[in-house]
């Protein structure tokens, strides 16, 4: 099976990008990262990509006067690298329907909550404020609903009595770096697809909350 071609979109430090780079380099994932694209020129993830010999591109949203214009150009840049899969790894942009439709079933996102809980921002503080015992992270296919696409895999972490948003985030990040490469691996092995509004792994429909890691 030919290696999958990935394009990774980032806005920040790129720690999930690094986890995926490492898994590709070790042979755990049968894929090559064709490019890393950022909307911010100072994103440290671009440096991670350069150190790994991966092509980079910067497309600043500040250079465009509408979300639609930005996404139209972003679509062109992504397309130029001919990816099988687009991986959102801390890409802090709400995507337009045209872009989402273009890569439907071929775009993944990671979100720091147990979806459908806490869509949007500040998820760790919201979990603490709600006095949740359990928090976590979800990998899902991207649809037009923000953080609303079919969930593929979740990992849970305990919320401790003395947790701050920062300490809880660190625990969640550790799980992110395990489950995101795993889902990319499944996709690159052609074991994972999106059918209608649910995810399918090894020809079995996953439950609405996805699978859980570890099983």
């Amino acid at each position: 099976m030919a290696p999958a071609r990935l394009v990774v979109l980032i806005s920040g430090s790129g720690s999930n990008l690094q986890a995926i780079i490492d898994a590709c380099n070790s042979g755990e994932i049968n894929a090559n990262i064709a490019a890393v694209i950022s909307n911010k020129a100072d994103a440290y993830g671009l440096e991670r990509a350069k150190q790994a010999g991966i092509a980079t591109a910067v497309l600043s949203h500040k250079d465009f006067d509408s979300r639609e214009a930005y996404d139209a150009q972003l679509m062109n840049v992504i397309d130029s690298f001919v990816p099988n899969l687009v991986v959102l790894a801390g890409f802090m942009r709400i995507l337009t329907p045209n872009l989402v439709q273009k890569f439907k079933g071929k775009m993944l996102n990671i979100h720091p909550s147990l979806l459908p809980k806490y869509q949007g921002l500040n998820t760790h503080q919201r979990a603490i404020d709600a006095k949740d015992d359990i928090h976590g992270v979800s990998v899902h296919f991207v649809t037009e609903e923000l953080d609303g696409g079919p969930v593929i895999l979740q990992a849970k972490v305990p919320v401790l009595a003395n947790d701050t948003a920062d300490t809880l985030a660190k625990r969640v990040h550790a799980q992110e770096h395990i489950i995101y490469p795993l889902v990319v691996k499944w996709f690159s092995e052609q074991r994972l697809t999106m059918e209608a509004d649910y995810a399918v792994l090894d020809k079995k429909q996953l439950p609405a909350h996805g699978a859980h890691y570890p099983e």
Side-chain angles (χ1 to χ4, degrees):
M1 193 182 298
R5 285 176 64 82
L6 313 180
V7 167
V8 183
L9 273 54
I10 61 163
S11 296
S13 76
S15 65
N16 276 306
L17 165 65
Q18 189 65 58
I20 293 167
I21 290 172
D22 293 345
C24 289
N25 287 346
S26 72
E28 181 188 339
I29 297 176
N30 181 31
N32 298 314
I33 301 176
V36 172
I37 303 170
S38 178
N39 63 317
K40 295 185 175 178
D42 61 352
Y44 182 67
L46 293 170
E47 185 59 34
R48 295 180 190 271
K50 287 170 187 168
Q51 288 173 6
I54 298 167
T56 62
V58 175
L59 191 67
S60 174
H61 53 281
K62 294 176 182 174
D63 295 339
F64 295 82
D65 50 15
S66 73
R67 199 178 288 280
E68 288 73 20
Y70 178 82
D71 277 11
Q73 183 57 27
L74 179 59
M75 203 185 303
N76 291 336
V77 176
I78 295 170
D79 251 356
S80 72
F81 293 103
V82 200
N84 305 104
L85 178 66
V86 180
V87 179
L88 306 182
F91 188 60
M92 304 304 287
R93 298 275 305 162
I94 295 173
L95 305 178
T96 55
N98 280 351
L99 182 63
V100 171
Q101 283 297 322
K102 165 80 176 173
F103 299 107
K104 189 173 184 181
K106 297 179 180 180
M107 184 180 278
L108 300 175
N109 185 42
I110 191 159
H111 183 73
S113 78
L114 295 173
L115 290 171
K117 269 190 164 183
Y118 311 130
Q119 294 165 314
L121 301 173
N122 304 318
T123 58
H124 310 306
Q125 190 60 54
R126 287 158 69 191
I128 291 168
D129 291 347
K131 297 184 167 49
D132 289 351
D133 294 326
I134 298 290
H135 185 44
V137 57
S138 308
V139 179
H140 65 95
F141 281 109
V142 176
T143 62
E144 291 168 36
E145 182 191 351
L146 178 66
D147 302 326
V151 176
I152 302 159
L153 186 61
Q154 294 185 326
K156 295 178 179 177
V157 301
V159 182
L160 306 180
N162 60 347
D163 261 332
T164 65
D166 285 345
T167 59
L168 185 52
K170 283 186 180 131
R171 212 171 303 120
V172 170
H173 280 150
Q175 296 301 313
E176 290 181 17
H177 301 159
I178 296 169
I179 71 168
Y180 213 0
L182 181 56
V183 172
V184 173
K185 171 184 166 70
W186 290 343
F187 190 95
S188 66
E189 293 171 347
Q190 298 179 13
R191 295 168 55 195
L192 175 67
T193 56
M194 182 174 116
E195 310 290 341
D197 57 353
Y198 51 86
V200 175
L201 178 64
D202 296 331
K203 301 183 180 174
K204 293 177 186 168
Q205 180 178 338
L206 292 173
H209 54 68
H212 277 117
Y213 179 88
E215 287 291 358

